[in-house]
Amino acid sequence: AQKITQTQPGMFVQEKEAVTLDCTYDTSDPSYGLFWYKQPSSGEMIFLIYQGSYDQQNATEGRYSLNFQKARKSANLVISASQLGDSAMYFCAMSLTDSWGKLQFGAGTQVVVTP
Amino acid sequence: DGGITQSPKYLFRKEGQNVTLSCEQNLNHDAMYWYRQDPGQGLRLIYYSQIVNDFQKGDIAEGYSVSREKKESFPLTVTSAQKNPTAFYLCASSTGDTVSGNTIYFGEGSWLTVV
């Protein structure tokens, strides 16, 4: 069974600085997708970025980029130029291609952006 | 506006009662999912449906039931058999097309409290 590990329970980052959130995964299946979601205190789960296991380039979406290191089985999220509105819980998740949508989530990282 | 609508946002249930959470999507997605989130934790899959009139159990299906009579609707019933139903419930959907790795979107969630 696949497993997602987020080792940082919480972190503080200063406004306008970049922050890297760690995510490692474990699966023997060669075909999978990796997701990052943001969950503010209101509860909704907001999709941020996606990386497929066969994608050659690292995914980017605005201020978000995913540092995908397949051999190390890591998929770290980088948020550039942090804003106060980035304060939230961030979850890394994975879905195998042959069971798409059955997401396995990490425990999350709480990010607090300070002025 | 396309999206996933969950209702109610907050629900209180007495012990021994069944309660149904609504999930409606107008994204024309084939696949829909129900997840449960406990405080400070990631999400866990309850049930999922990849096509109308078909659904499968997820990792924690005991005490829950679902139906998928229409493509746009996937209600979740929390039965009295669910031992610890107090949690945050999130509905999600995707096109179900595993080849292109389509994004999995979430609704805003429903908070269920047993009193």
Side-chain angles (χ1 to χ4, degrees):
Chain A
Q2 62 268 33
K3 184 180 177 182
I4 303 289
T5 302
Q6 295 180 253
T7 57
Q8 306 153 309
M11 53 198 310
F12 289 92
V13 59
Q14 209 154 18
E15 203 176 1
K16 300 180 185 175
E17 289 190 346
V19 60
T20 298
L21 308 184
D22 295 339
C23 173
T24 58
Y25 60 93
D26 186 22
T27 181
S28 57
D29 198 298
S31 185
Y32 51 87
L34 295 157
F35 298 80
W36 277 93
Y37 288 90
K38 171 185 177 181
Q39 188 177 42
S41 57
S42 54
E44 73 263 37
M45 196 70 78
I46 302 167
F47 166 75
L48 296 178
I49 197 166
Y50 165 80
Q51 179 88 40
S53 60
Y54 294 117
D55 292 344
Q56 296 296 315
Q57 293 189 333
N58 287 344
T60 60
E61 290 281 353
R63 294 187 298 112
Y64 305 106
S65 60
L66 199 153
N67 184 3
F68 181 45
Q69 297 189 41
K70 195 171 182 177
R72 294 185 177 183
K73 294 189 176 179
S74 76
N76 298 340
L77 177 71
V78 180
I79 306 173
S80 63
S82 296
Q83 302 171 355
L84 296 177
D86 293 335
S87 294
M89 193 75 161
Y90 288 80
F91 289 97
C92 179
M94 179 173 70
S95 179
L96 300 181
T97 299
D98 62 5
S99 55
W100 197 251
K102 294 177 67 176
L103 288 164
Q104 202 74 25
F105 280 82
T109 296
Q110 181 72 49
V111 172
V112 175
V113 180
T114 60
Chain B
D1 236 16
I4 302 171
T5 302
Q6 291 187 238
S7 63
K9 178 72 174 178
Y10 300 97
L11 188 60
F12 295 89
R13 190 197 89 173
K14 293 183 179 178
E15 284 194 25
Q17 283 184 339
N18 291 355
V19 64
T20 297
L21 307 179
S22 169
C23 178
E24 304 276 331
Q25 54 97 0
N26 60 6
L27 301 168
N28 200 34
H29 284 171
D30 287 315
M32 297 185 74
Y33 315 84
W34 274 106
Y35 287 87
R36 169 183 170 140
Q37 185 178 27
D38 292 286
Q41 297 184 29
L43 281 64
R44 293 180 291 167
L45 182 65
I46 304 172
Y47 266 99
Y48 64 103
S49 167
Q50 293 177 314
I51 199 167
V52 174
N53 292 324
D54 187 44
F55 49 83
Q56 286 81 39
K57 293 181 179 180
D59 300 323
I60 55 166
E62 186 175 349
Y64 300 97
S65 66
V66 293
S67 62
R68 187 83 189 278
E69 297 175 3
K70 299 186 295 182
K71 186 175 185 178
E72 57 270 21
S73 178
F74 191 41
L76 173 74
T77 297
V78 185
T79 74
S80 56
Q82 168 51 232
K83 300 295 182 208
N84 186 19
T86 295
F88 187 51
Y89 292 87
L90 284 150
C91 177
S93 73
S94 75
T95 64
D97 179 357
T98 62
V99 174
S100 57
N102 283 287
T103 301
I104 300 159
Y105 293 99
F106 284 82
E108 294 188 346
S110 293
W111 295 90
L112 173 63
T113 302
V114 173
V115 296

